């Protein structure tokens, strides 16, 4: 077993689990609260001022680590203040994330896996397949590290979270939902489910489970095509779950949670962007309480697909609006600090080979 595998990341544990760890180390129970507070502030062991050295030594001797995620690089956009983060995990793996500043607050985009198994034809995250799942603490660690890097005084810098970095969140269900519990915890960062969006390519059995488990978040579906034939051209997951399966699952999610469904639709030149496609999309979405985000495709060198022209995007959106499908075009953020989702990690690996 390597040292890395022996390591136990304290951020992986719930408050109740930390209490048990503390008691097992023969320490008073209240130390768990102190420890939990420090961990959620992004503190390393030597910054935990009110904890006795002997306690910290015991934690270290038992292979516990405090912050398993380190910020390696930050790029700041001169246009809109968007920040791109490169993080290093304890085993040397690299992941990336983004912090976007809006009028109403700051949104962090987090990764849920290193790489991805879904292999969508336009996406950079799946180019090397799935490398590994992130643990709950590694997903939380991204929020904590970026919060620490941006906050002034005691006020929390992060107001919203989107699970839209690398990975398919519903392909890592247990760790992702534990992360949701941790980040939502009242004694933790206490970020409300209303301020969290989970994006999925449509793993339908897990959408039902998410609804049944009571996670009332903004469910975002990477749809990118209105029918199975078109969707199969870019999204292999369509072999397992059809667009009709997705429609049924999100209707169930809406009925259980009352949360409007968001669909992502990246415009791929000559593939999913005709008025015929818009027409099929209108009939697919009929009866659903939903919103469509139209995204000009980001160019990914290794994938070679191109975005639709602005004129055609406009025609497509006009058609949707005329047929009462609410839609917006997603604003491009941080255009000067490198393009597409997933590209940053890859560029970093190339340059540091
Ligand atoms: N696996 C999840 C989470 C990833 S979120 C999902 O599929 O939803 C990242 C979002 O960016 C998804 O909507 C994905 O489809 C989209 N995306 C991936 N590559 C893109 C590209 N080149 N241009 C625009 N959007 C892209």
């Amino acid at each position: 077993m390597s040292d890395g595998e022996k390591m136990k990341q304290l951020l992986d544990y719930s408050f109740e689990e930390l209490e048990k760890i503390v008691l097992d180390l023969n320490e008073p129970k209240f130390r768990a609260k102190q420890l939990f507070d420090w961990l959620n502030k992004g503190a390393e062991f030597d910054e935990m001022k009110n904890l006795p050295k002997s306690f910290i030594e015991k934690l270290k001797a038992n292979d516990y680590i405090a912050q398993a995620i380190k910020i390696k690089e930050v790029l700041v956009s001169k246009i809109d203040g968007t920040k791109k983060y490169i993080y290093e995990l304890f085993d040397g793996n690299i992941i990336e994330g983004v912090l976007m500043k809006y009028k109403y607050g700051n949104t962090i985009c987090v990764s849920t896996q290193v790489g991805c198994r879904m292999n969508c034809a336009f996406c950079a995250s799946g180019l090397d397949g799935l490398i590994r799942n992130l643990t709950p603490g590694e997903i939380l660690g991204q929020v904590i590290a970026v919060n620490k890097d941006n906050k002034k005084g005691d006020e929390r810098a992060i107001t919203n979270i989107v699970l839209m970095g690398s990975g398919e969140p519903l392909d890592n269900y247990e760790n992702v939902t534990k992360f949701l519990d941790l980040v939502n915890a009242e004694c933790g960062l206490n970020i409300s489910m209303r301020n969290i969006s989970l994006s999925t390519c449509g793993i339908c059995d897990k959408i039902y489970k998410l609804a049944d488990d009571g996670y009332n978040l903004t469910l975002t579906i990477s749809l990118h095509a209105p029918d199975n034939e078109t969707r199969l051209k870019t999204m292999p997951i369509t072999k397992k779950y059809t667009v009709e399966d997705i429609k049924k699952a999100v209707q169930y999610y809406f009925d259980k949670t009352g949360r409007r469904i968001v669909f992502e639709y990246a415009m791929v030149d000559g593939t999913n962007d005709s008025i015929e496609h818009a027409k099929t999309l209108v009939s697919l979405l009929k009866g659903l309480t939903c919103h469509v985000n139209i995204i000009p495709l980001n160019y990914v060198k290794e994938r070679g697909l191109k975005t639709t022209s602005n004129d055609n995007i406009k025609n497509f959106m006009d058609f949707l609006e005329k047929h009462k499908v609410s839609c917006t075009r997603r604003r491009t953020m941080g255009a000067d600090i490198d393009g597409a989702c997933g590209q940053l990690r890859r560029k970093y690996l190339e340059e540091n080979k």
Side-chain angles (χ1 to χ4, degrees):
M1 198 189 265
S2 75
D3 273 2
E5 283 169 70
K6 250 191 352 192
M7 293 295 185
K8 290 171 279 184
Q9 310 185 36
L10 284 171
L11 279 177
D12 280 338
Y13 300 102
S14 66
F15 180 58
E16 293 71 28
E17 289 166 334
L18 270 192
E19 281 187 331
K20 188 168 177 311
I21 289 172
V22 164
L23 290 174
D24 286 347
L25 294 174
N26 293 319
E27 292 282 335
K29 207 172 167 183
F30 70 86
R31 295 264 178 250
K33 174 81 173 75
Q34 293 173 316
L35 186 59
F36 196 76
D37 283 348
W38 282 121
L39 290 169
N40 276 280
K41 281 189 184 132
E44 293 290 358
F45 284 139
D46 56 8
E47 294 172 274
M48 301 182 180
K49 300 238 165 30
N50 59 352
L51 293 179
K53 268 215 167 74
S54 55
F55 174 40
I56 301 284
E57 289 313 316
K58 268 192 237 173
L59 288 169
K60 286 185 185 165
N62 283 277
D63 301 313
Y64 287 112
I65 45 177
Q67 303 298 330
I69 282 220
K70 306 269 179 287
I71 295 175
K72 237 182 137 64
E73 224 176 287
V74 190
L75 299 170
V76 186
S77 162
K78 291 196 182 75
I79 303 173
D80 52 33
T82 298
K83 292 186 181 178
K84 290 227 176 189
Y85 285 89
I86 295 273
Y87 316 91
E88 183 170 17
L89 307 178
F90 74 92
D91 61 359
N93 266 307
I94 297 288
I95 52 170
E96 64 176 353
V98 186
L99 181 72
M100 292 158 287
K101 304 194 171 182
Y102 296 100
K103 275 191 218 99
Y104 57 78
N106 294 329
T107 299
I108 184 175
C109 172
V110 297
S111 292
T112 55
Q113 296 177 318
V114 187
C116 184
R117 290 204 283 171
M118 300 301 139
N119 200 22
C120 300
F122 38 74
C123 183
S125 300
L127 283 167
D128 303 317
L130 175 66
I131 296 167
R132 74 168 172 87
N133 281 329
L134 294 183
T135 70
E138 286 170 336
I139 308 173
L140 181 64
Q142 300 167 53
V143 185
I144 289 175
V146 172
N147 186 48
K148 188 181 184 188
D149 192 43
N150 288 277
K151 80 184 169 79
K152 298 182 183 79
D154 276 343
E155 206 180 321
R156 196 181 67 209
I158 311 282
T159 49
N160 296 68
I161 302 177
V162 297
L163 282 73
M164 296 190 184
S166 70
E168 167 48 52
L170 297 186
D171 188 36
N172 184 15
Y173 188 88
E174 295 306 321
N175 290 349
V176 165
T177 46
K178 186 164 186 189
F179 154 71
L180 293 172
D181 296 338
L182 289 170
V183 81
N184 185 228
E186 229 169 279
C187 55
L189 287 176
N190 195 10
I191 297 180
S192 145
M193 286 298 146
R194 300 198 76 81
N195 295 336
I196 301 180
S197 294
L198 182 148
S199 182
T200 174
C201 63
I203 315 275
C204 293
D205 56 335
K206 293 296 181 340
I207 294 177
Y208 289 103
K209 187 160 164 51
L210 202 63
D212 291 339
D213 290 346
Y215 291 98
N216 293 4
L217 36 74
T218 302
L219 183 65
T220 303
I221 304 289
S222 298
L223 188 63
H224 305 318
D227 61 85
N228 296 315
E229 196 190 331
T230 311
R231 200 166 192 255
L232 259 176
K233 290 184 183 155
T234 53
M235 300 184 71
I237 189 70
T238 313
K239 280 184 233 140
K240 190 148 184 214
Y241 300 106
T242 63
V243 294
E244 293 78 21
D245 295 333
I246 293 181
K247 182 171 183 179
K248 256 197 241 153
V250 299
Q251 184 64 58
Y252 183 85
Y253 190 84
F254 175 76
D255 290 343
K256 276 255 162 167
T257 64
R259 305 301 311 271
R260 180 179 79 158
I261 306 297
V262 176
F263 290 99
E264 308 274 73
Y265 200 102
M267 301 292 282
V268 190
D269 189 37
T271 304
N272 64 353
D273 58 349
S274 69
I275 290 299
E276 244 349 272
H277 289 113
K279 220 185 244 172
T280 317
L281 186 59
V282 169
S283 30
L284 178 71
L285 301 186
K286 211 177 171 120
L288 287 179
T289 305
C290 65
H291 180 80
V292 179
N293 263 333
I294 298 288
I295 312 167
L297 189 81
N298 292 317
Y299 185 68
V300 175
K301 186 176 79 214
E302 296 85 344
R303 300 293 197 182
L305 296 169
K306 290 203 182 71
T307 188
T308 304
S309 69
N310 280 330
D311 280 353
N312 282 353
I313 293 181
K314 190 172 175 311
N315 292 342
F316 193 93
M317 290 180 68
D318 285 349
F319 188 92
L320 295 185
E321 270 158 16
K322 218 168 84 198
H323 293 83
K324 307 274 177 294
V325 172
S326 113
C327 63
T328 39
R329 177 175 168 146
R330 189 194 275 168
R331 200 149 56 97
T332 308
M333 306 224 12
D336 55 331
I337 49 171
D338 199 18
C341 287
Q343 280 301 80
L344 199 65
R345 168 180 175 270
R346 213 171 162 79
K347 190 168 161 219
Y348 186 89
L349 294 177
E350 294 277 311
E351 285 168 3
N352 293 278
K353 253 186 200 152

